Amino acid sequence: MSETPLGEQLTPAPYPPGWTVPPESSGPRRPGTVLAAAIVTWTASAVTLLGTASMFTFLMSAGEPILDSFDGSRPLLVAVAVGIAVWSVAACLLAWWTLTGRNWARILLALSAGATVVVSTSMFWLGVPFVSLFGGIAVLVLLFIGGANDWYRTRPAAREPEGMS
């Protein structure tokens, strides 16, 4: 206890009504590989979005000779650009949910990364998808090493609800 300048004893202030001490984390800390997978996902998605936007802008403005050689290529170009953008944003959201310990998000992010590897491999001749190819491989590996499986197994969302055993 402390004393005032007059020598009186100070008592600790009571906690406000309804205030409780937050519980300590019950499980192990999140592995760094899960955080690294999220960072790789966000970075690769940002690079993919920027590359898609710049390629789309180039082809729509200066690519008349290129686009005119293919019948009906403008709607296809728009659909592909929108599809890539939606996929990238969805991957970023899945990476966020993966960080919070949701195993279903980790599985969906791994499926997305696997699909990214397949699509990027099939389009290797463009040269640009190498960022997404290596990013997809890295995310697939990082989501399942370094204690990630054990961490997800101990997460409350992964446990069976009480009374359901």
Side-chain angles (χ1 to χ4, degrees):
M1 286 197 169
S2 301
E3 291 184 9
T4 65
L6 300 175
E8 300 169 338
Q9 294 292 327
L10 290 178
T11 58
Y15 292 122
W19 191 87
T20 60
V21 176
E24 292 185 23
S25 63
S26 60
R29 291 184 49 182
R30 177 178 57 222
T33 57
V34 174
L35 177 61
I39 291 171
V40 169
T41 300
W42 294 329
T43 304
S45 293
V47 169
T48 301
L49 281 171
L50 289 174
T52 301
S54 63
M55 184 67 76
F56 179 77
T57 303
F58 169 75
L59 287 175
M60 292 303 280
S61 63
E64 291 296 325
I66 297 170
L67 293 176
D68 288 343
S69 62
F70 300 104
D71 290 333
S73 61
R74 285 189 190 271
L76 177 65
L77 179 66
V78 171
V80 168
V82 168
I84 290 172
V86 168
W87 191 353
S88 296
V89 170
C92 290
L93 289 172
L94 287 171
W96 176 256
W97 288 321
T98 298
L99 278 178
T100 62
R102 292 177 170 93
N103 196 37
W104 60 266
R106 175 176 75 142
I107 300 302
L108 289 177
L109 183 59
L111 289 173
S112 174
T116 299
V117 169
V118 170
V119 169
S120 297
T121 302
S122 67
M123 300 179 77
F124 73 94
W125 53 273
L126 290 176
V128 176
F130 283 125
V131 171
S132 59
L133 172 67
F134 295 134
I137 292 170
V139 168
L140 275 172
V141 171
L142 290 169
L143 285 176
F144 295 98
I145 65 168
N149 289 330
D150 294 333
W151 183 68
Y152 279 102
R153 209 175 348 269
T154 62
R155 300 299 301 159
R159 293 187 199 134
E160 197 171 301
E162 290 183 24
M164 297 293 292
S165 15

